[in-house]
Amino acid sequence: MQPPMISTPLKQTNEIDWIAPLKAYIRQTYGDDPEKYAEECSTLNRLRQDMRGAGKDSAAGRDLLYRYYGQLELLDLRFPVDENHIKVSFTWFDAFTHKPTSQYSLAYEKASIIFNISAVLSCHAAYQNRSEDTGLKTAYHSFQASAGMFTYINENFLHAPSIDLSRDTVKTLIAIMLAQGQEVFLEKQVADGKKSGLLAKLASQAAYLYSQAAEGVQENVAKGIFEKPWLLVTQIKANHMSSMAQYYQALTDDDANAHGIAIGRLQVAEAQVKDASRLASAFPSSPPLGSDLSPETGLSLVEMTRRHITNVQEKLAAFSKDNDFIYHQPVPAEATLPVISKLPAAKAIPVSELYQGQDIQRIIGPDIFQKIVPMSVTESASLYDEEKAKLVRAEAERVETANGEMAASLDYLKLPGSLNILKGGMEQNFTVDEEFRRWCEELAGHESFGRAFEHLQADKAGIISTLEKSSKQLDMEESVCEKMRSKYGGDWTQQPSSRLTATLRSDIRSYRGAIDEASMSDAQLLATARQYDSDFDEMRSAGETDEADILYQRAMLKAGAARGKGKNGVGSPMSPSAEGNLLDEDYGEGGVSVADQIAKIEDLLKKLNFIKKERTQVLKDLKEKVHNDDISNVLILNKKAITNHENQLFQAELEKFRPYQTRLLQANHKQSSLMKELTKAYSDLLQDRRVRSEQANYETFTRQRNSVMIRYRKVFQAFNDLIAGLMRAQSFYSEMRETVDSLEENVETFVNNRRSEGAQLLNQIERDKASYAGSQADRERDRLRELMERMSMDPSTSPSKPSSGTSRAAAMPTTSYLTNSYRTKSPPTSPQYPPTSSVGQYTRPPSHSPPISQPQQAYSHYGPAANGGYHRSQRSGSYNQGGGPAPSELYNPMAYPYQTPVSPPPSQQFYPQASGQHGYPANPQQHQGQYMPQGYVPPPPPPGPPPGPQQTYPNPATPYPAGLGGYAHDPRSRQYTGSQQQAQQDPWAGLNAWK
């Protein structure tokens, strides 16, 4: 029968509801749909329901309490459960007095749960079968865990709302649990037959703990909190453990030949165990239910003390007999006996350590509300991510630096390429370069550039011909106009052509200048094509026949890159070397052969490449590890503990990446060592006289190969430049063709309108002359008649007498008015025009009634059209339909029907828009816009000249590139500038807007 143990009773609680308060808080604070967390809330609520029915002596009940408390800790990190936020009333009954206590604090709920965990652990330990090792170990661990839970209550919950959670009560429970744990450990050591000295120290510590517990129990019994049997158990065990300590120490002293002291200790042990036996005999046979002790407790205590009394008395009799007959040592008094030292074997297990165990984590399970992360935790996680990023950047930079150093060192040593020459691999270098082969393939299939240049010349000739034709038309029109002005003098009121054609002539000159500059660029392109024509043909042929390697070898031969000489004295890269292979040579120097040195260098290169690959893989693993690292749960669990100590936690978490950093550092050190060894080995190899001559040949060959590649790279670049230049030239001439065609149309429209205007003016002059001649004859007759009357002596012919000549004399002002009105362009009050035919031609009016012209209304023929160009009026249709001579024929004004002169005065620049069949303005009040001949189509601006062969050619949509001889001198900018300057004196400067 094993000694009895005290277990703590459990607290009881009422039912509560977690679901509604949690959902309300999620909606208000996190702004999320609470129904998404309905399952989590129900799980927490179910956990509390299960916890209420947990059995105190079952492992299942213990696990339910463990899990619920763990979830409460996680819940506290996300939800503030108190009177001001999530308001839940927790009601618990005192474990000893059974009085109810209610609070809204989650701390009270956690403290009560911890108290029950401690109680369950004590019950679980007390009911273990300690005769077995498993039960003994379980009891030992459970008593310590229970003490740890009680200690957590005392350290974290200062203001206890109930007696069972008060500091004095909990302190007494801690002492009981530790004393019982020490006792269990002592039982194990006794069963294992440990030395008596160790057993004495363990028993002394147990006696001390039971004495403390007895004091606390006695106070609580006096207050009516604990049951009296608890006091009896603690007192009995305190005396019993003290007796055992003296007993085992007596055995130790006897072994040390301190026989008198041993006898004295046995006497003390006998007295203490008798006290314990006396108390055990007084233990009630039926303990109260609140004590949680079984009815067999009294019998167990009596049996325990009786067995120990027997052992003590047997040893005391034996030691006294031996001392009386043999040793004769004095027996000291109890007060003079040395104090037995104590050896603590039981300690309270902290809650943090208890919950770090894998078993407890498995029992608690995952965080119910892990999908909800507090903002503070998110911010801390972001700071930690930045720390991880810094670490990765630093390591990546070190790896990149190490790789760069390796590449630079190998490039400086020309490794591994320079080993090929030493291994007899120069013949491999005569194989065609892939870049050279690509050049030949790109030239394959391209036609010669001759046809392209012929097309350019044809386009250019056509443009020049059109410009010359337009210029001749303007010259002919101006010549005819001036001849008519010379013939009719002041009566020819048509404006001079020179002022009206300034913009058109400026355009012709500008376009001709652009063509001249383009011709210079074309000449440079042609010179480039002729310079590289043979090279183009060679590369084109090699690409079409797939003989790029032959062309490459031929070029190398011309560069003198052959290692040996053939029978014809010409070097051949494919001929066997007369010198042989260095790996086969042996000069008998007695040193390391060239082959062995090369093999060593290659081995070092392999090791370096392996280090590089390994370093890259380690960095990749580090990045993956960092990417998958998430310490949100750690931050949540340590939310309260890491306040102002985040950096310490971050550094501790970053230590998990230390192995990767160490491996990268070791790889860098190893690389440095191998590079030193490689540099020395390669330097020794180059100092070998068998290598020097071959190295010089290889360097010469490399220079010659580079010269070949430079030459054909230049040819290929010239080919691309020519293609780009010709494309730009074709685009230029195409745009210039459109521009010149538009200009030609405008010139023809202008000339046609001027001819029609001249025909009308000439017709008007002829009619005015006929009318003026008749009036002049009448005046002469009147003058002669008046003269004859004066010479007459007849008094009836006196000047004072009115005569019929008065009416004729009145015609004098009218005639003068007609003459002056034509010259001053003053409009008459009622101009009359003959009706026109359906095709827009005028009918010659009767000679006896000549109408007076109205020039101001006639200008409407040249009013600006809606699209900014000339209107081709119906009156000019007679020319187009054969009513007059062709533009190339001599100018004959009488070949056209009569039309009103429409030439504007030199000072007028703006005219109303033409409308109606006879050219009258649709709105006489509108005088906006610039003067433009009818039918005028504004030409597009001319493009710049084509580029030269040595330029870089941008996209055709971009401005033309600058450069010597290129399409850089854009005539448009010069044309616009010149036209703007001329606009100050040219009344037709508005033509600039047509472009």
Side-chain angles (χ1 to χ4, degrees):
M1 185 178 292
Q2 62 185 11
M5 296 291 179
I6 297 176
S7 60
T8 308
L10 275 68
K11 294 170 67 69
Q12 301 300 319
T13 182
N14 289 337
E15 183 178 351
I16 66 168
D17 179 29
W18 275 113
I19 299 177
L22 288 177
K23 285 186 175 180
Y25 185 81
I26 290 174
R27 181 185 296 107
Q28 295 173 3
T29 303
Y30 288 100
D32 205 348
D33 183 12
E35 295 303 322
K36 293 167 57 178
Y37 305 96
E39 183 178 354
E40 288 83 350
C41 296
S42 300
T43 301
L44 181 64
N45 205 57
R46 189 168 54 251
L47 276 178
R48 194 177 193 281
Q49 298 293 341
D50 296 342
M51 175 273 302
R52 293 179 61 227
K56 64 180 181 179
D57 59 344
S58 65
R62 179 201 60 188
D63 292 348
L64 283 174
L65 289 168
Y66 268 141
R67 185 177 184 192
Y68 181 62
Y69 176 76
Q71 294 299 333
L72 285 182
E73 286 287 357
L74 298 173
L75 183 76
D76 192 22
L77 299 173
R78 296 178 174 86
F79 301 97
V81 182
D82 51 35
E83 191 173 358
N84 299 322
H85 298 88
I86 301 179
K87 194 173 182 179
V88 179
S89 177
F90 303 103
T91 301
W92 287 86
F93 296 90
D94 192 286
F96 302 106
T97 64
H98 308 292
K99 294 180 180 180
T101 303
S102 298
Q103 282 195 356
Y104 294 105
S105 172
L106 184 64
Y108 177 56
E109 175 84 350
K110 292 196 294 183
S112 301
I113 295 298
I114 292 175
F115 185 93
N116 276 2
I117 293 175
S118 301
V120 168
L121 288 172
S122 67
C123 293
H124 190 61
Y127 295 155
Q128 291 295 319
N129 182 10
R130 299 194 299 278
S131 62
E132 299 176 358
D133 285 346
T134 304
L136 199 65
K137 292 178 180 178
T138 302
Y140 176 64
H141 179 270
S142 297
F143 279 131
Q144 294 182 98
S146 178
M149 288 292 186
F150 282 129
T151 303
Y152 186 79
I153 294 175
N154 258 5
E155 291 177 351
N156 293 275
F157 305 100
L158 303 180
H159 304 287
S162 59
I163 296 176
D164 54 1
L165 297 177
S166 64
R167 296 183 63 83
D168 294 338
T169 303
V170 173
K171 185 178 180 180
T172 302
L173 295 175
I174 294 171
I176 293 174
M177 296 302 120
L178 290 178
Q180 294 182 145
Q182 185 81 10
E183 182 183 358
V184 171
F185 188 79
L186 176 61
E187 289 178 359
K188 172 64 176 173
Q189 303 306 312
V190 172
D192 292 343
K194 298 296 182 179
K195 293 182 179 182
S196 57
L198 174 63
L199 299 178
K201 295 177 181 179
L202 293 174
S204 176
Q205 176 67 16
Y208 169 75
L209 293 174
Y210 271 119
S211 298
Q212 285 187 329
E215 294 177 0
V217 171
Q218 187 172 7
E219 292 179 1
N220 285 280
V221 169
K223 296 177 182 179
I225 299 174
F226 291 170
E227 298 290 345
K228 188 175 180 181
W230 278 26
L231 177 60
L232 293 176
V233 171
T234 54
Q235 289 177 344
I236 291 170
K237 289 202 172 184
N239 290 328
H240 180 69
M241 288 296 134
S242 180
S243 174
M244 289 186 68
Q246 295 293 341
Y247 173 76
Y248 287 117
Q249 187 62 39
L251 298 180
T252 303
D253 291 341
D254 185 71
D255 292 339
N257 295 322
H259 304 289
I261 297 176
I263 294 172
R265 291 189 184 280
L266 288 175
Q267 291 174 353
V268 174
E270 183 181 12
Q272 290 174 341
V273 74
K274 285 181 179 180
D275 292 339
S277 179
R278 177 176 52 79
L279 292 173
S281 300
F283 195 86
S285 59
S286 297
L289 294 177
S291 65
D292 203 22
L293 293 173
S294 65
E296 293 83 10
T297 302
L299 296 176
S300 299
L301 293 173
V302 171
E303 178 65 24
M304 177 187 69
T305 55
R306 184 180 299 165
R307 185 171 57 250
H308 185 57
I309 288 175
T310 301
N311 293 335
V312 171
Q313 290 177 347
E314 288 179 356
K315 289 293 181 181
L316 179 59
F319 287 178
S320 297
K321 183 180 180 181
D322 290 342
N323 189 55
D324 291 341
F325 287 99
I326 302 173
Y327 305 114
H328 306 287
Q329 292 182 3
V331 178
E334 179 181 356
T336 61
L337 291 175
V339 178
I340 303 173
S341 60
K342 303 174 181 64
L343 180 61
K347 64 178 181 178
I349 300 176
V351 175
S352 59
E353 182 179 337
L354 185 66
Y355 270 79
Q356 285 179 355
Q358 296 296 326
D359 294 339
I360 303 299
Q361 291 295 324
R362 177 181 53 80
I363 292 171
I364 295 175
D367 186 356
I368 295 178
F369 294 96
Q370 60 183 348
K371 292 189 293 185
I372 297 179
V373 180
M375 183 59 66
S376 60
V377 173
T378 303
E379 294 174 356
S380 298
S382 299
L383 295 176
Y384 178 68
D385 290 341
E386 180 59 28
E387 295 296 326
K388 292 191 299 183
K390 289 180 182 178
L391 185 146
V392 171
R393 286 195 297 268
E395 297 303 323
E397 185 176 352
R398 291 191 185 96
V399 170
E400 184 178 357
T401 301
N403 291 340
E405 290 176 354
M406 178 190 295
S409 299
L410 295 180
D411 183 67
Y412 176 76
L413 298 175
K414 299 180 181 179
L415 290 174
S418 59
L419 294 180
N420 291 336
I421 186 63
L422 304 178
K423 295 167 62 177
M426 176 178 275
E427 285 77 8
Q428 300 175 3
N429 291 280
F430 280 93
T431 57
V432 63
D433 191 279
E434 289 303 322
E435 189 177 15
F436 183 85
R437 185 185 298 277
R438 179 178 61 83
W439 295 342
C440 294
E441 290 174 354
E442 291 193 17
L443 263 70
H446 283 279
E447 297 182 357
S448 177
F449 292 106
R451 294 183 60 185
F453 282 106
E454 292 176 0
H455 284 302
L456 292 182
Q457 293 299 323
D459 293 342
K460 180 171 62 176
I463 294 172
I464 294 175
S465 174
T466 301
L467 291 176
E468 291 178 350
K469 175 183 175 183
S470 298
S471 181
K472 289 179 180 179
Q473 284 182 306
L474 293 178
D475 292 342
M476 180 179 295
E477 191 279 331
E478 182 177 2
S479 175
V480 170
C481 179
E482 294 305 319
K483 288 180 179 179
M484 299 300 289
R485 193 183 314 280
S486 175
K487 179 177 179 181
Y488 294 102
D491 293 338
W492 188 260
T493 59
Q494 190 178 29
Q495 279 199 10
S497 298
S498 59
R499 300 185 63 185
L500 301 180
T501 61
T503 301
L504 294 174
R505 292 184 182 276
S506 175
D507 289 345
I508 293 174
R509 289 193 301 272
S510 176
Y511 298 161
R512 186 57 186 263
I515 293 297
D516 293 340
E517 293 182 3
S519 299
M520 298 173 59
S521 298
D522 294 346
Q524 290 191 5
L525 290 175
L526 181 60
T528 302
R530 290 175 178 175
Q531 178 182 357
Y532 296 103
D533 187 56
S534 60
D535 294 324
F536 292 158
D537 292 340
E538 287 182 351
M539 296 181 71
R540 184 184 304 110
S541 176
E544 293 173 351
T545 59
D546 196 17
E547 295 180 350
D549 51 347
I550 298 178
L551 177 61
Y552 179 78
Q553 293 175 8
R554 189 183 304 120
M556 292 293 288
L557 288 176
K558 291 180 180 179
R563 297 183 63 191
K565 297 291 183 179
K567 293 182 180 180
N568 56 358
V570 180
S572 173
M574 305 305 295
S575 62
S577 174
E579 299 177 1
N581 194 313
L582 277 178
L583 300 182
D584 301 328
E585 294 179 358
D586 187 2
Y587 291 92
E589 295 181 352
V592 181
S593 65
V594 174
D596 292 340
Q597 295 182 63
I598 292 178
K600 180 180 179 181
I601 294 175
E602 289 179 337
D603 182 62
L604 292 174
L605 290 174
K606 290 179 181 178
K607 290 181 180 179
L608 286 172
N609 289 331
F610 177 77
I611 288 176
K612 182 178 180 180
K613 292 180 181 178
E614 181 183 13
R615 184 167 50 213
T616 303
Q617 184 62 39
V618 172
L619 180 62
K620 180 180 178 182
D621 295 341
L622 173 62
K623 291 181 178 179
E624 184 176 358
K625 179 78 172 178
V626 168
H627 178 72
N628 297 330
D629 182 38
D630 184 12
I631 65 167
S632 296
N633 289 334
V634 177
L635 292 173
I636 292 175
L637 294 175
N638 296 274
K639 179 181 177 182
K640 298 179 180 179
I642 65 173
T643 305
N644 300 325
H645 297 87
E646 291 181 344
N647 289 332
Q648 289 83 339
L649 177 63
F650 293 165
Q651 295 303 321
E653 290 295 327
L654 290 176
E655 285 297 320
K656 66 170 70 79
F657 308 119
R658 181 68 61 186
Y660 298 94
Q661 294 176 280
T662 303
R663 290 174 61 186
L664 291 175
L665 185 61
Q666 291 175 350
N668 292 343
H669 289 322
K670 191 173 182 180
Q671 173 181 308
S672 300
S673 176
L674 288 176
M675 285 304 305
K676 291 180 181 178
E677 186 177 355
L678 176 64
T679 302
K680 184 178 183 305
Y682 188 67
S683 177
D684 295 341
L685 177 63
L686 295 181
Q687 295 301 322
D688 195 314
R689 63 184 182 86
R690 296 168 290 182
V691 177
R692 294 178 185 174
S693 60
E694 199 70 17
Q695 183 184 13
N697 294 337
Y698 179 75
E699 292 177 352
T700 302
F701 169 81
T702 302
R703 287 194 299 270
Q704 293 165 345
R705 176 185 176 280
N706 292 339
S707 66
V708 171
M709 292 300 295
I710 290 173
R711 175 196 170 196
Y712 281 97
R713 182 178 289 107
K714 185 177 180 181
V715 173
F716 181 71
Q717 183 63 40
F719 173 78
N720 289 332
D721 293 346
L722 276 173
I723 292 179
L726 288 173
M727 291 178 63
R728 295 285 294 171
Q730 291 173 359
S731 175
F732 170 80
Y733 285 121
S734 176
E735 295 177 7
M736 182 61 77
R737 177 75 269 172
E738 297 177 1
T739 304
V740 171
D741 288 344
S742 178
L743 175 65
E744 181 185 21
E745 182 179 355
N746 292 337
V747 169
E748 290 179 354
T749 302
F750 175 78
V751 171
N752 291 336
N753 288 338
R754 291 280 290 180
R755 286 177 176 174
S756 176
E757 179 187 10
Q760 297 176 35
L761 182 59
L762 183 60
N763 197 358
Q764 180 67 31
I765 291 174
E766 293 297 333
R767 287 188 294 133
D768 290 345
K769 281 189 175 182
S771 175
Y772 179 76
S775 299
Q776 187 70 18
D778 291 340
R779 288 196 300 272
E780 185 64 22
R781 284 194 298 272
D782 292 341
R783 188 181 67 82
L784 292 176
R785 184 181 298 108
E786 183 180 356
L787 181 61
M788 292 299 294
E789 289 175 353
R790 289 178 181 176
M791 295 176 63
S792 174
M793 300 303 294
D794 190 355
S796 62
T797 61
S798 173
S800 61
K801 183 180 179 179
S803 64
S804 62
T806 306
S807 62
R808 293 186 178 276
M812 294 293 289
T814 302
T815 304
S816 176
Y817 167 76
L818 289 175
T819 304
N820 296 332
S821 66
Y822 180 76
R823 295 183 180 182
T824 59
K825 313 297 187 297
S826 298
T829 57
S830 58
Q832 297 180 0
Y833 290 90
T836 59
S837 64
S838 60
V839 295
Q841 296 183 358
Y842 282 96
T843 305
R844 184 178 298 277
S847 58
H848 61 271
S849 60
I852 302 175
S853 64
Q854 189 175 0
Q856 291 293 338
Q857 293 183 359
Y859 294 153
S860 63
H861 294 304
Y862 289 88
N867 60 354
Y870 283 144
H871 285 292
R872 192 180 296 273
S873 64
Q874 291 182 353
R875 298 173 209 157
S876 62
S878 60
Y879 164 74
N880 295 334
Q881 298 177 6
S888 59
E889 298 179 7
L890 294 178
Y891 181 70
N892 183 8
M894 297 306 297
Y896 299 90
Y898 171 78
Q899 292 184 2
T900 306
V902 295
S903 179
S907 61
Q908 184 168 351
Q909 298 187 21
F910 302 98
Y911 303 91
Q913 183 171 354
S915 176
Q917 183 180 12
H918 298 289
Y920 286 92
N923 184 8
Q925 302 300 325
Q926 182 179 358
H927 295 284
Q928 302 293 331
Q930 299 176 346
Y931 171 76
M932 303 177 185
Q934 293 181 356
Y936 184 82
V937 179
Q950 301 301 327
Q951 293 176 259
T952 303
Y953 303 92
N955 188 284
T958 62
Y960 302 112
L964 182 60
Y967 288 6
H969 306 290
D970 192 348
R972 291 175 288 183
S973 59
R974 185 173 62 252
Q975 170 187 342
Y976 296 154
T977 304
S979 300
Q980 291 173 359
Q981 294 175 354
Q982 191 179 6
Q984 301 299 330
Q985 298 82 21
D986 186 4
W988 290 79
L991 290 175
N992 287 326
W994 303 344
K995 298 186 291 181

